[in-house]
Amino acid sequence: MLELADIPFFSSVPTAALNALRRRIEVRLHSAGTVLLRMGDPGTEVHMLAAGAVRADLEPATTGHNRRVILGPGQTLGEMAVLSGLPISATVTAIKDSITYCLPGPAFLECLQEQPILYRTISEMLIERLRHRTGARADSLQPALAVLAVQAGGDDTERLSRAVVAGVCFYAPGSTYVDAIGNDEELLRLPACV
């Protein structure tokens, strides 16, 4: 099991501040199958994984997509929802017995105020997650927009269009389908990716 000082998020925090932080943190045991965070719920606490492994499902079960990430000891969970005030963006489930250090949202925000160096750590985490989610690397950036022209009226037009839109939504989730023909009737009724 990782000690609090071994969690990368807290690696730059001085020992005295870590000792004070330990008084605010609750150690939680999660058996395999336990949901730690649920997509769409408000962010009320931050977990730092000390032992075990969790799965973060990045898509709701109803979409049919299977975007998952397995996280191990040292990872921090729920901090973006606490910081932004937005709902939790993934359902996080223990895939084996796990232990987390849990910090209530208000205590997490106080910790940031007391240790401003943690803002740099959060910025680095956000950049890394953004790169991982988009597949972007410094030497290879993917385009954020794709355009595909499809001949209307074919038997497979709708199925092809839906498959392409699903692919674009997966790799460029901010994309939107637009009927470029400009007809009064839409070529297809496809949802935006967001």
Side-chain angles (χ1 to χ4, degrees):
M1 177 172 138
L2 293 179
E3 293 296 324
L4 191 59
D6 297 327
I7 302 291
F9 183 78
F10 293 115
S11 64
S12 60
V13 175
T15 304
L18 273 179
N19 289 335
L21 185 61
R22 282 186 181 91
R23 290 188 287 273
R24 300 186 210 173
I25 287 182
E26 178 184 345
V27 176
R28 291 193 185 166
L29 307 175
H30 308 275
S31 57
T34 302
V35 174
L36 284 72
L37 303 169
R38 190 174 306 280
M39 181 184 291
D41 284 355
T44 59
E45 55 193 22
V46 178
H47 291 266
M48 285 72 62
L49 192 57
V54 298
R55 180 186 69 232
D57 291 299
L58 304 171
E59 295 282 341
T62 57
T63 66
H65 294 286
N66 191 11
R67 292 179 55 189
R68 295 179 167 173
V69 177
I70 304 299
L71 303 170
Q75 298 293 316
T76 304
L77 316 161
E79 76 288 347
M80 294 302 165
V82 168
L83 269 174
S84 68
L86 296 172
I88 294 170
S89 62
T91 296
V92 179
T93 307
I95 55 175
K96 62 184 197 174
D97 292 349
S98 301
I99 301 171
T100 62
Y101 297 112
C102 182
L103 190 59
F108 177 75
L109 295 174
E110 288 172 13
C111 181
L112 292 177
Q113 294 301 315
E114 295 164 4
Q115 299 297 320
I117 189 72
L118 291 176
Y119 283 110
R120 180 178 179 167
T121 305
I122 284 180
S123 297
E124 291 169 355
M125 287 172 49
L126 181 58
I127 290 166
E128 184 58 34
R129 287 181 185 172
L130 183 61
R131 284 183 175 170
H132 183 272
R133 239 182 164 175
T134 63
R137 297 185 321 262
D139 61 342
S140 168
L141 296 177
Q142 297 177 347
L145 176 66
V147 176
L148 177 67
V150 178
Q151 175 84 25
D155 291 338
D156 293 331
T157 302
E158 185 172 351
R159 190 166 25 138
L160 172 64
S161 294
R162 287 190 187 284
V164 169
V165 168
V168 170
C169 286
F170 181 83
Y171 289 104
S175 300
T176 302
Y177 176 85
V178 177
D179 177 15
I181 298 172
N183 295 333
D184 290 337
E185 295 182 25
E186 291 181 329
L187 175 63
L188 295 170
R189 293 195 181 276
L190 296 173
C193 297
V194 291

